[in-house]
Structures are given as structure tokens and as C-alpha cells.
Amino acid sequence: MAVFESFRDGWTALRTTPSLLLAGGLLVALPLVGALDLGTAEPVAELATVLALPFVLGGFLAMATTALRDGDPSLRSFVHAGGTNYLRLVGGLVLFVFGLGAVLTVVMTLSFAPIVLVALAGGADFAAMGASLGAVVAIVGSVAALAAGFLFLQFFAPAIVVEDRSVADSFRRSVGLVRRKLASAVGFTLLWAIAVDAVPTPRPLLESGGAETLQAVGVPGEALPVAVVVVGVVSVVGLTYCYIVYVAYFLRLTGAVPTRHRDTEPADSGSVVGTQ
């Protein structure tokens, strides 16, 4: 089954290619910048993080793909893939975030619009009684819409990097792959999300009150630097593994499975996977 085989592929790639931890470490560390108290330099640091993310993402996806194909990824391939795919990844990330935001806005509006109309028409009592129901519908609808949007669009980035597709074509590719193997994609997404959520991150320790967070679990506040290092290492290893699994599953969806397994699964005729 592609879902479980992807987790096995991810472990094999990480074990045989430890250099992936460097690229994965950058990908894990970037979101942590916002947790640091940088004073007046914080806006500049956050802007630099946003600008660097597409570059690091492109480099990591290329290195992971090479490792999964039994290749030997290098720093040069990381830099080349990050630069070559930078603008398309920027466009894809912007559309992905704003697209999910637009869906959320529409769902929230449709959920509360009937209540607002009734209130304006004079049915204040009914509107008050229905407000709680409207809130529940809005929350459930928003979660469902965001989950569906993420499910169908989540593979746009590897489609750009691995298959050299345009931004629009990468979204079509992601939707097509998920629609064709919907049950498998749902199972993978749920299992992968649980795995990612299970990996601890040092963010709570880096934010103000990190020492108090340790004390709350019975650890002396003076151990904060050691705790940050230990949790940071676990976070890098765990999340890098999860990100490699994500790439491995995309390759299996397209039929471009790792070379050691290519004789067991047919290739997808729509795949134009190329090396980076």
C-alpha cells in the first residue's frame, strides 16, 4: 500500500542520506524565527523568513526526490532547485494561502447570511436563537472547507519542483492525483498530519515564558538551553522525516516510485518527472 510504503521510503532515504537533515533543518527552523524576541529587527527577520521559505522548500524537495531515487543530493542541487523554482513556488504559496482564505471567507459568509437577513427583517428573536446554530455551522463548514482545500491542493509544490510544471498546472496536477486516488490520499493526509503533530517543536520554549513552561512539567527553568537543543534536534529529525515521506507519497501517486521499487508498480502516464 502506497501510504505505508511511503513511510518506509522516507526512513530509508533519511537513513542513507543524512545530508537531508541540513535542508530539513532549515525548513524546520524558518517558522521558529517568529518565536524569537528580536525587538525592532523582528519585522525584518519575519520578512526575510517569508522570502527565504520558497527557496528552501524548492531545494529540499529536489534533494528529497534525488535521495528517494537512490541518488546523491548535493548542496549544488539544493541551490539550483531553490533558485530555478523560486518564483513559481512564491506564486503557488500565495495562491494556496489566499485560496484557502477565500474559501474560508465564503463559507463563513454563507453560514451567517441567513441569520443576518432575518434580523434585518425584524426576526430578532429567531436570529438570536439561530446564532449559536449558525456559529456551529460556520465552524464545521470552515474546517471541512479548509480540509478539502488542503487535501486536493497539497501537492502543488512537488509538482512544480519534481515535474517542472507551471503554477496553474501544478494545482491541476495535485487535484487530479488526489481525485484519482481519493481514499489513499485521505488516509495518507490523516496519518501524515498525526505524525507531524506528534513531533515536538521548541517554539513554546523559545517564546517568552519558556522557563515557566518547563517548570509546569517539573523541569527546572535553568535547563531551558539544554531543553531547546534536545527538542530542536528531535524536531529537525522528526519533521525532516515527515517531509521526506510527503515527497515519497507524491512520487508514488505519480507512479515515479523509488528505483528499488519501480518493478512493483506501473508508472502514471501523466508524470513528467525529471531530475533536478
Side-chain angles (χ1 to χ4, degrees):
M1 188 175 178
V3 175
F4 298 109
E5 289 172 345
S6 298
F7 281 87
R8 183 186 62 187
D9 294 336
W11 168 246
T12 300
L14 183 62
R15 177 173 53 83
T16 58
T17 317
S19 60
L20 286 172
L21 290 173
L22 297 177
L26 287 176
L27 201 57
V28 172
L30 283 176
L32 297 177
V33 173
L36 302 176
D37 185 9
L38 301 176
T40 57
E42 185 171 345
V44 177
E46 291 184 351
L47 177 60
T49 298
V50 171
L51 294 177
L53 179 59
F55 182 89
V56 176
L57 177 61
F60 176 84
L61 291 174
M63 288 187 67
T65 301
T66 301
L68 287 164
R69 290 170 170 168
D70 294 336
D72 186 16
S74 63
L75 178 60
R76 178 178 298 179
S77 66
F78 175 89
V79 174
H80 179 265
T84 302
N85 300 288
Y86 183 79
L87 292 180
R88 285 180 293 167
L89 285 174
V90 168
L93 289 169
V94 170
L95 288 178
F96 182 75
V97 172
F98 279 93
L100 293 184
V103 170
L104 180 60
T105 301
V106 170
V107 171
M108 295 286 288
T109 301
L110 293 177
S111 299
F112 284 107
I115 298 174
V116 175
L117 292 176
V118 171
L120 292 176
D125 293 339
F126 177 79
M129 293 174 58
S132 58
L133 178 60
V136 171
V137 172
I139 293 173
V140 173
S142 299
V143 172
L146 289 176
F150 179 83
L151 173 67
F152 281 94
L153 303 178
Q154 62 179 309
F155 298 111
F156 78 90
I160 289 175
V161 176
V162 179
E163 299 185 337
D164 196 27
R165 295 178 181 268
S166 66
V167 174
D169 195 28
S170 70
F171 284 105
R172 287 193 293 266
R173 176 63 163 163
S174 181
V175 171
L177 289 172
V178 173
R179 184 176 55 194
R180 184 161 58 248
K181 299 182 179 180
L182 182 59
S184 175
V186 170
F188 168 78
T189 303
L190 290 175
L191 189 59
W192 187 81
I194 292 173
V196 171
D197 188 63
V199 178
T201 70
R203 188 180 187 91
L205 301 177
L206 294 174
E207 294 174 339
S208 59
E212 289 77 4
T213 301
L214 285 180
Q215 293 172 354
V217 295
V219 179
E222 294 77 9
L224 180 60
V226 176
V228 169
V229 172
V230 172
V231 176
V233 171
V234 173
S235 177
V236 168
V237 175
L239 292 179
T240 298
Y241 167 70
C242 290
Y243 298 154
I244 299 172
V245 170
Y246 164 77
V247 180
Y249 183 71
F250 171 80
L251 293 177
R252 286 191 171 275
L253 276 183
T254 64
V257 296
T259 54
R260 57 185 172 277
H261 298 302
R262 283 185 181 170
D263 57 343
T264 64
E265 297 186 20
D268 175 10
S269 59
S271 176
V272 291
V273 179
T275 58
Q276 295 295 330

